[in-house]
Amino acid sequence: MTDFEFNKKVLVRLAEDVDNQSVLDLSPRCVQVGMVTMYPDRSPVFNRIHRLLDPDSYHFIALSNSRVVGMLGTLHTDFYFQDKPVQTAYFMDFKVDPDFRLGITAFRLVKRSLDRERESGIRLALATLLKNNEAPMVFTKGRGGFPASLYLGDNRIFSYVPVRHLKTDHRFVIRQATDSDIPDLVMLYNRFYSTYRLAPRITEKAFRHYITEIAGLSLDRFFVACEGDKIKAVLGAWDARSIKKYRVTQSNFRVKLLSGLVKFLSLFGRMPEPVQINEPLKQLTLVLYAHDDCTDALATLFRHINNLHLGGEYSIIQVQIHEDDKANESLRGLTGVSLYSELHVFTDTLQFARDIQNTTGPVHLEFPNYI
């Protein structure tokens, strides 16, 4: 019989640099099961991207002897509600070793993180939980001294495969963004974000930080769709593999069938790389997208990215959009599959939760909230 957690002493503390390898070793033991079974690999430094986005980000870890057996991270960002910034804690990287899931390791990790955020005065916290994953849902029910969450719908994780050339709308001229576009892009982003119930904002300084400090997200990775002299839509095509890779350990019948079809069609034309077992998933992630009340322009950009990578190195191109967002119209005609994660927010007062609940509109997450 497995020696479960109640027979073991577990210490919970903040992660330190010396814990890096043990944290990296935890991921393969905590695979994500879906159409493909995989785990995130953030080698060589597990929290490099988090520190670039938020120097005050942190991870609590649970240790049995010197081995990391659980982890929960927190990253801070501002979300805007009714045009006012609210500093928000985003809970991420929630992992517990299978041998430690019958005890209170998960409870202790969540409690330490919540206590730290309460003491700092944070009013809003956010978490995304893979749909139908019941294990972490206990922390959303208002039990065991934890606040109940407010469910704000599902985030759609759409992965499309560039297997055929798609028609683009000739009303729009597509080009790479230039440095002179940045002030206009920042204004476009903030107009776009202001249409949501909860969403971030961006400054020129923050945008320049992204394109200079985050590997794979340089300015030449941004594309704009213009009508006349006006930018109608923008997106960034981020190759995040130097920061985060998904390693595939297993796939279901549907994915195997699709991979087999791709291999067969590659005999007759250019096809994307098939999903391969025990190899990193070759994924391009579309981030920092926005449109000026013009989903047709955004659709043209999604299709342009598809056409650029037809028969290229990426197995999938992925974007995340709230299920109630009209930007989903821009995904029509793309060949892909969807997964969903539930979006839960926690507030410091019941009245704040009611105010959010009584405000209409979807929530917009940016890439810091799903890295």
Side-chain angles (χ1 to χ4, degrees), residues 246-306:
Y246 281 101
R247 292 194 175 271
V248 179
T249 62
Q250 190 175 341
S251 61
N252 69 5
F253 176 76
R254 185 177 178 185
V255 173
K256 289 177 181 177
L257 186 64
L258 181 59
S259 295
L261 179 62
V262 167
K263 288 180 180 178
F264 174 73
L265 292 176
S266 67
L267 299 173
F268 307 97
R270 297 170 60 211
M271 285 289 116
E273 286 286 329
V275 175
Q276 298 187 40
I277 306 302
N278 298 320
E279 294 289 340
L281 181 63
K282 295 179 180 178
Q283 173 181 315
L284 186 67
T285 305
L286 305 185
V287 300
L288 287 164
Y289 67 84
H291 63 87
D292 197 6
D293 196 25
C294 186
T295 56
D296 288 345
L298 186 59
T300 290
L301 287 179
F302 287 144
R303 287 170 169 243
H304 178 71
I305 298 298
N306 175 93

Side-chain angles (χ1 to χ4, degrees), residues 70-336:
M71 178 171 70
L72 177 60
T74 305
L75 183 143
H76 305 92
T77 185
D78 279 349
F79 270 75
Y80 277 67
F81 176 65
Q82 297 178 342
D83 290 325
K84 296 179 181 178
V86 182
Q87 190 175 34
T88 303
Y90 175 64
F91 297 127
M92 60 188 176
D93 284 349
F94 195 14
K95 301 180 181 71
V96 178
D97 187 293
D99 285 351
F100 288 76
R101 292 176 185 172
L102 295 185
I104 62 170
T105 295
F107 173 90
R108 292 177 63 195
L109 286 165
V110 173
K111 187 176 188 306
R112 289 291 295 275
S113 299
L114 280 174
D115 287 348
R116 184 182 175 100
E117 294 308 313
R118 281 168 170 158
E119 291 169 5
S120 72
I122 287 286
R123 297 199 62 207
L124 188 70
L126 181 150
T128 53
L129 307 175
L130 193 62
K131 201 165 185 67
N132 299 320
N133 182 7
E134 295 300 323
M137 290 299 176
V138 65
F139 299 109
T140 69
K141 308 296 184 183
R143 302 170 187 165
F146 298 124
S149 72
L150 176 63
Y151 168 61
L152 291 180
D154 291 348
N155 213 42
R156 181 187 183 190
I157 306 162
F158 182 67
S159 300
Y160 66 97
V161 185
V163 292
R164 60 194 178 93
H165 190 275
L166 298 174
K167 183 180 179 181
T168 57
D169 192 327
H170 293 300
R171 285 183 296 159
F172 307 107
V173 174
I174 303 169
R175 60 173 174 81
Q176 289 176 300
T178 65
D179 193 80
S180 62
D181 291 324
I182 291 178
D184 288 338
L185 292 179
V186 170
M187 288 191 290
L188 171 60
Y189 281 125
N190 290 328
R191 286 197 306 273
F192 175 69
Y193 294 147
S194 69
T195 64
Y196 291 87
R197 178 178 4 181
L198 283 170
R201 296 291 189 275
I202 196 169
T203 63
E204 183 170 332
K205 180 180 179 181
F207 185 80
R208 290 188 180 277
H209 176 73
Y210 291 160
I211 62 177
T212 57
E213 299 298 328
I214 297 179
L217 194 59
S218 53
L219 186 58
D220 61 2
R221 292 268 180 177
F222 282 79
F223 295 84
V224 296
C226 302
E227 188 173 26
D229 60 354
K230 187 173 182 181
I231 296 175
K232 301 295 289 184
V234 59
L235 61 75
W238 184 26
D239 186 334
R241 284 180 291 179
S242 66
I243 292 172
K244 177 181 179 180
K245 301 174 285 290
Y246 281 101
R247 292 194 175 271
V248 179
T249 62
Q250 190 175 341
S251 61
N252 69 5
F253 176 76
R254 185 177 178 185
V255 173
K256 289 177 181 177
L257 186 64
L258 181 59
S259 295
L261 179 62
V262 167
K263 288 180 180 178
F264 174 73
L265 292 176
S266 67
L267 299 173
F268 307 97
R270 297 170 60 211
M271 285 289 116
E273 286 286 329
V275 175
Q276 298 187 40
I277 306 302
N278 298 320
E279 294 289 340
L281 181 63
K282 295 179 180 178
Q283 173 181 315
L284 186 67
T285 305
L286 305 185
V287 300
L288 287 164
Y289 67 84
H291 63 87
D292 197 6
D293 196 25
C294 186
T295 56
D296 288 345
L298 186 59
T300 290
L301 287 179
F302 287 144
R303 287 170 169 243
H304 178 71
I305 298 298
N306 175 93
N307 295 344
L308 277 181
H309 297 288
L310 185 65
E313 63 179 306
Y314 299 109
S315 301
I316 63 170
I317 301 171
Q318 187 178 96
V319 63
Q320 298 203 28
I321 300 178
H322 194 280
E323 63 175 349
D324 297 329
D325 195 326
K326 69 177 183 179
N328 281 288
E329 298 171 3
S330 304
L331 303 178
R332 292 174 183 167
L334 300 172
T335 302

